[in-house]
Amino acid sequence: MKLPGQIYAALSVFGVVFVVGVVWTLWQGGSHALPGWTGAVRPGALSEAHAFLGDKCESCHAPVAGVTAEKCVTCHAPAQELLMKPATAFHQNIGDCKGCHVEHQGRAVRPTKMDHAVLEAVAQRRDGGSGSLQCATCHGVQDPHGGFFGKQCASCHQTESWEIKTFLHPSPKSTDCAQCHKAPPSHYMMHFEMMDRPISGQKGARVEQCYLCHQTDSFNNIKGVGMVKVH
């Protein structure tokens, strides 16, 4: 069958452009250009936990939509421990699993990346645009401040790092450490008499007298001794 002249010309131009594009790409990227072409169909190995799904793309991917939460829930819904533990109970409000769980990074990579931006977006959707992260939902059981500073963690901390670069500890001469610090359980046991006091050389120290042994730059920095791995 003979094609009309205009269609034939269009196909010819398309063919030339396609070939030129392939040659240009290969010339620019050399042997490294091809992986970019195949990345859509061979994005990389799954993690060890999901390795058994290596040839079952449809288990996670839906046509056009890609990875959907519904696909994840199919397998992970029975994992009730996620919803029962205080630190992970927030999963019941998350609608976008791939925001934190990223696959195809290799067998040895655990597909978990904590992304607070995803959680904040969920809070915004839930509260009609006025929501904000409730840090205590996940970090309440880990509060090192013992509740002294309330639940407004964001007034001091940022999500990129728990450390506060601008924080200045009270004077090294401060003796009222119990305002912020609570001694570990071992200090209320024989460990304090048998180990802590002899190491520090403060044989008469009491548990609440943190300043006699500890430096303000680090809990592990013991006066007159240096850095000691404790607790």
Side-chain angles (χ1 to χ4, degrees):
M1 182 178 69
K2 187 175 179 180
L3 295 173
Q6 292 180 339
I7 296 178
Y8 182 85
L11 290 175
S12 299
V13 172
F14 175 82
V16 172
V17 172
F18 179 80
V19 172
V20 171
V22 171
V23 173
W24 175 262
T25 302
L26 290 175
W27 181 69
Q28 289 290 321
S31 61
H32 298 292
L34 290 178
W37 288 43
T38 60
V41 293
R42 289 190 295 171
L46 293 169
S47 65
E48 190 65 32
H50 290 151
F52 70 98
L53 296 173
D55 59 348
K56 300 179 179 65
C57 307
E58 70 280 1
S59 297
C60 301
H61 295 268
V64 182
V67 179
T68 63
E70 289 76 12
K71 293 281 187 178
C72 302
V73 171
T74 300
C75 290
H76 293 282
Q80 291 298 315
E81 63 272 12
L82 283 176
L83 306 181
M84 296 176 66
K85 292 180 180 179
T88 54
F90 66 89
H91 280 83
Q92 62 184 325
N93 296 319
I94 302 298
D96 185 12
C97 307
K98 65 180 182 292
C100 293
H101 301 282
V102 182
E103 265 294 357
H104 293 294
Q105 301 181 85
R107 288 283 186 270
V109 179
R110 190 166 179 261
T112 300
K113 179 184 177 182
M114 188 65 216
D115 191 343
H116 285 85
V118 175
L119 300 182
E120 189 164 15
V122 171
Q124 293 284 339
R125 292 197 302 268
R126 181 190 62 215
D127 301 326
S130 61
S132 61
L133 287 178
Q134 299 298 320
C135 309
T137 302
C138 299
H139 299 286
V141 295
Q142 302 169 318
D143 183 8
H145 307 306
F148 284 129
F149 300 145
K151 298 181 179 180
Q152 302 303 316
C153 311
S155 61
C156 296
H157 297 281
Q158 296 182 346
T159 57
E160 291 79 11
S161 174
W162 180 255
E163 295 182 357
I164 306 173
K165 296 181 180 179
T166 58
F167 175 74
L168 293 177
H169 196 281
S171 169
K173 297 181 180 180
S174 174
T175 60
D176 198 4
C177 310
Q179 280 189 334
C180 297
H181 298 284
K182 181 179 180 181
S186 64
H187 275 32
Y188 296 96
M189 304 174 187
M190 288 304 297
H191 189 279
F192 186 70
E193 286 76 13
M194 295 173 62
M195 297 294 296
D196 299 293
R197 290 200 299 199
I199 288 175
S200 65
Q202 298 289 342
K203 296 183 179 180
R206 300 191 307 275
V207 172
E208 67 273 14
Q209 294 176 306
C210 316
Y211 57 90
L212 291 180
C213 304
H214 298 281
Q215 302 272 34
T216 56
D217 63 332
S218 173
F219 183 79
N220 293 343
N221 190 0
I222 308 301
K223 290 183 179 179
V225 179
M227 296 297 291
V228 177
K229 187 176 181 180
V230 293
H231 310 294

